[in-house]
Amino acid sequence: MELDGDHEDGADGSGVKDSSLHVVTPGEVITNDTAFMRGHGTYIENEKVVSSVAGVVDRVNKLISVRPLHTRYTGEIGDVVVGRITEVAQKRWKVDVSARQDAILMLSSINLPGGVQRRKQESDELQMRSFFMEGDLVVAEVQAFFGDGAYSLHTRSLKYGKLRNGSFISVPPALVQRCKSHFHSLACGVDVILGLNGYIWVSAHVPQNLDEIDTELVYSNKNKDITPRDRESIARVGNCIRALADEFIFINDTIISFAYE
Amino acid sequence: MPSLISPAERDYILKGIECNIRADGRQRPDYREVILETGVISQTSGSSRVRLAGGTDVLVSVKADIGPVLVDPETGEGADKGQIICNVECAPSASQQFEGRGADELNNELTQMMTRFLSHNTTTLSTPSSTTSSSTAASNNNGAGGINLSKLCIIPGEQCWILYVDALVLDYGGNLVDAVFMGTRAAIFDTRIPKTEVQDLGDGNFDFEVLDDAEDTEVVEGREDMPICVTLNKIGARHIVDASPLEELCTEAKLVVAVNRSGELCGLQKGQDGGIEPSLLLEMIQFGKTLGQTLIKQLDAKIKAEAEADMIKRQNGQPVVKLGFFAQ
């Protein structure tokens, strides 16, 4: 497998090559110094600190850990993720976000049609499927963690919610960096939503005027009419993203536009 | 994960297929790129690995073993023929839906499909699901999917070569059937069976010896006539080939057309719950036949080119390096 320095998900998120990158494979000795504390991805064997995963060594003062290359999505509060509803439960939905557990979207965390400030009623709980059904794609933000580590999502903004008019692509979560905005509008008339969990939504551009959004229609499943030209652009952007993912290159809007040209 | 799809995506895919622009930009009859390599496992008589650009990864191996002849108790046939025994298995790591026992039904279906299209057994075995119906027209293809089973017999009535064809699905990216059959054809092409020397001991007893010469081996006779499959997925009012996982979720009806290089229909299987109108059925079969023939030509060209390149390397004394089944 090719391991190049581009996997370093640096704290500045710019993907700058760090010349002191130490890439290790499972079973490789990281250091002989036992003064270090062991973090995730390491174990001690014969008084040596050995790596248990394939990844980059992360050293913070006296703590040594290994950050794996291929791992499930681990998120922070405030992350924008794209997820697929897997289950409709009591007052909540279970959402697959490619993490170790399904995330939870509470009924109280979504915008109900009829106004942002509408009170939740009994009838809403009984018709949860009219909002989100199993299989629907949603874009949401991580609000909090549950005690067992599952994420709690919310869509309490008009830019979050159900996804339509496009197609879905899945890439390794490590390739999507954190940026200021995850909703990009490319020059070719295509909107891209880069979920930090590796789920990406490419869709036709819908001019959105936040004042005029009809809150009744946010949960509709109807796509708008998409021209063949738009379809071609969407397909092309999708293939660019897949190609970038195959080469294990970071994905952000500039590199997608670059690949598109 | 692949087993769920949203109504909006389904609608997008449906409309896209109608205007001939699929989700990844392909047209309806377009195949994805195929990467094929033969001879990847050295301990087998023949092997191949097929990868479709989209994730589907299939490893096929053929092992030639000696065993007793299988005689059909009803017809008395089989005493002078070898056997082909197929098995398909989907690795649980290939897809989330294959975890645990999830792949059992698919394994069963693929194995029975392979057995029907390739081996001498022309009777339809018990159908795996109530919605699948199948038929075999192997009679005009020399039985056994083109392969000459009589040549595989060593001592008539006693010993014969048995070809164990095993396919392992390593990754799922849609269109498993086509990949499995492409891989099987390539693996059979790559198969080399050792020569045997039969000695007549007199009074009806025979003994045979397997010649251990690695260079002096035989190819499987009739391998050029082996069929491959083209899977046609009916979505809406149109049909596509080589479906991606999301497209497979939108399929109403699936038609697998097995065709050989002469354009003869070697097998047909319909899957899933939807219906196909009779006129569309004929159109799809014809389409599958023409596409299958083109595919066979391209596949053969690839296999030949690879074999020739290997031969040149061997003659020059260079080591033949195979990427093997660990290659990304």
Side-chain angles (χ1 to χ4, degrees):
Chain A
M1 201 168 83
E2 287 165 7
L3 295 170
D4 51 11
D6 281 337
H7 302 322
E8 168 67 8
D9 191 0
D12 54 357
S14 59
V16 171
K17 220 168 184 171
D18 188 352
S19 52
S20 60
L21 265 187
H22 187 191
V23 178
V24 289
T25 48
E28 201 176 312
V29 173
I30 304 174
T31 175
N32 288 319
D33 197 344
T34 50
F36 285 109
M37 287 194 294
R38 294 185 308 102
H40 287 298
T42 62
Y43 63 97
I44 289 212
E45 192 185 31
N46 299 336
E47 296 183 8
K48 297 190 211 216
V49 182
V50 186
S51 163
S52 61
V53 291
V56 174
V57 174
D58 212 6
R59 191 179 80 89
V60 178
N61 294 335
K62 283 238 159 222
L63 177 69
I64 280 212
S65 58
V66 183
R67 213 153 12 96
L69 292 170
H70 279 296
T71 177
R72 291 234 167 220
Y73 166 64
T74 42
E76 309 294 324
I77 294 179
D79 279 358
V80 174
V81 291
V82 171
R84 204 184 273 281
I85 309 278
T86 54
E87 219 182 283
V88 180
Q90 248 200 349
K91 286 202 204 156
R92 67 185 64 176
W93 289 273
K94 289 262 173 74
V95 186
D96 163 43
V97 288
S98 187
R100 293 192 179 87
Q101 281 177 319
D102 279 347
I104 310 232
L105 179 62
M106 308 284 298
L107 179 59
S108 48
S109 313
I110 66 168
N111 279 336
L112 298 162
V116 183
Q117 305 293 0
R118 203 191 82 173
R119 281 206 99 138
K120 189 161 66 80
Q121 294 158 345
E122 281 277 327
S123 55
D124 288 328
E125 192 182 334
L126 295 170
Q127 45 173 15
M128 280 177 73
R129 275 206 176 77
S130 63
F131 304 135
F132 294 119
M133 252 194 60
E134 286 95 337
D136 278 341
L137 280 170
V138 292
V139 57
E141 197 180 319
V142 176
Q143 189 179 40
F145 290 105
F146 279 95
D148 54 359
Y151 304 122
S152 176
L153 307 175
H154 78 91
T155 58
R156 275 219 175 274
S157 165
L158 289 166
K159 61 181 179 184
Y160 300 135
K162 201 185 272 204
L163 293 171
R164 58 184 82 86
N165 298 327
S167 62
F168 170 77
I169 301 166
S170 175
V171 302
L175 295 179
V176 185
Q177 307 159 286
R178 290 204 168 85
C179 352
K180 233 169 34 166
S181 164
H182 292 268
F183 298 81
H184 305 292
S185 200
L186 301 177
C188 39
V190 173
D191 280 349
V192 178
I193 301 180
L194 298 170
L196 279 160
N197 57 339
Y199 286 175
I200 296 181
W201 180 253
V202 185
S203 63
H205 182 64
V206 176
Q208 255 200 3
N209 192 334
L210 284 176
D211 299 326
E212 293 172 1
I213 283 192
D214 191 353
T215 47
E216 297 291 333
L217 292 180
V218 283
Y219 293 113
S220 92
N221 283 326
K222 269 193 84 207
N223 286 343
K224 69 163 199 180
D225 281 325
I226 307 176
T227 63
R229 241 192 121 248
D230 278 344
R231 278 186 196 279
E232 276 184 18
S233 312
I234 295 175
R236 192 161 158 176
V237 171
N239 288 336
C240 291
I241 297 178
R242 280 193 201 97
L244 290 170
D246 282 342
E247 297 298 313
F248 224 79
I249 302 175
F250 278 127
I251 296 178
N252 53 44
D253 57 334
T254 38
I255 204 165
I256 296 177
S257 319
F258 195 65
Y260 185 90
E261 296 306 325
Chain B
M1 282 320 283
S3 358
L4 291 173
I5 188 172
S6 70
E9 278 172 290
R10 191 186 287 267
D11 180 65
Y12 181 79
I13 291 176
L14 203 83
K15 298 241 169 67
I17 287 172
E18 265 172 49
C19 56
N20 211 10
I21 304 178
R22 289 157 73 169
D24 51 0
R26 282 184 288 162
Q27 298 200 321
R28 285 191 292 264
D30 285 346
Y31 256 87
R32 289 172 290 188
E33 195 192 329
V34 180
I35 303 175
L36 174 73
E37 199 181 8
T38 56
V40 288
I41 310 175
S42 50
Q43 304 96 318
T44 58
S45 313
S47 60
S48 77
R49 185 176 178 198
V50 178
R51 252 175 299 165
L52 295 176
T56 303
D57 200 341
V58 183
L59 186 64
V60 185
S61 84
V62 179
K63 266 199 98 80
D65 236 348
I66 298 180
V69 171
L70 185 72
V71 183
D72 192 343
E74 291 167 30
T75 59
E77 267 187 44
D80 57 345
K81 292 198 161 77
Q83 296 165 54
I84 301 183
I85 296 179
C86 311
N87 186 42
V88 181
E89 201 176 300
C90 297
S93 56
S95 166
Q96 216 175 44
Q97 62 208 78
F98 294 160
E99 269 180 312
R101 311 216 43 184
D104 277 358
E105 208 182 288
L106 187 61
N107 286 347
N108 221 0
E109 191 185 327
L110 290 173
T111 304
Q112 290 191 355
M113 206 192 294
M114 255 183 98
T115 316
R116 262 204 331 274
F117 293 170
L118 291 186
S119 78
H120 191 54
N121 193 350
T122 52
T123 55
T124 33
L125 302 158
S126 57
T127 47
S129 68
S130 55
T131 55
T132 323
S133 56
S134 49
S135 70
T136 319
S139 50
N140 54 349
N141 197 24
N142 195 21
I147 297 173
N148 193 345
L149 287 180
S150 315
K151 200 82 189 331
L152 292 177
C153 185
I154 306 175
I155 302 174
E158 285 177 31
Q159 301 282 320
C160 66
W161 283 110
I162 305 179
L163 293 180
Y164 291 98
V165 180
D166 290 286
L168 179 64
V169 176
L170 295 168
D171 203 358
Y172 171 75
N175 202 18
L176 282 184
V177 181
D178 295 12
V180 166
F181 273 87
M182 272 195 254
T184 309
R185 189 185 164 89
I188 298 252
F189 247 86
D190 187 48
T191 303
R192 300 286 181 270
I193 302 180
K195 288 208 171 108
T196 54
E197 223 175 63
V198 183
Q199 295 154 346
D200 193 346
L201 299 176
D203 58 81
N205 279 345
F206 292 90
D207 193 15
F208 70 94
E209 194 186 311
V210 179
L211 298 172
D212 226 350
D213 197 348
E215 298 298 315
D216 196 14
T217 51
E218 294 176 334
V219 295
V220 178
E221 197 174 298
R223 57 188 185 164
E224 303 86 18
D225 287 322
M226 222 198 84
I228 62 155
C229 285
V230 176
T231 307
L232 296 143
N233 299 67
K234 176 172 178 273
I235 298 179
R238 317 287 181 128
H239 49 93
I240 57 170
V241 264
D242 196 13
S244 66
L246 283 176
E247 285 168 345
E248 283 190 348
L249 286 172
C250 298
T251 321
E252 298 157 13
K254 205 158 85 158
L255 190 68
V256 177
V257 178
V259 62
N260 68 5
R261 65 171 177 166
S262 334
E264 293 168 322
L265 191 63
C266 305
L268 208 60
Q269 173 155 322
K270 182 210 163 281
Q272 303 202 303
D273 307 327
I276 308 178
E277 300 89 358
S279 51
L280 186 62
L281 184 69
L282 290 172
E283 188 192 314
M284 282 168 84
I285 295 175
Q286 197 52 45
F287 184 65
K289 270 201 220 171
T290 29
L291 203 62
Q293 282 184 284
T294 326
L295 210 61
I296 288 184
K297 280 204 191 83
Q298 291 177 337
L299 204 67
D300 284 352
K302 265 194 198 172
I303 299 174
K304 223 183 197 171
E306 195 195 359
E308 273 166 22
D310 284 351
M311 190 66 64
I312 293 175
K313 277 200 187 145
R314 281 212 181 90
Q315 283 170 350
N316 290 345
Q318 291 169 348
V320 178
V321 176
K322 292 283 177 187
L323 287 177
F325 60 90
F326 281 126
Q328 287 291 317

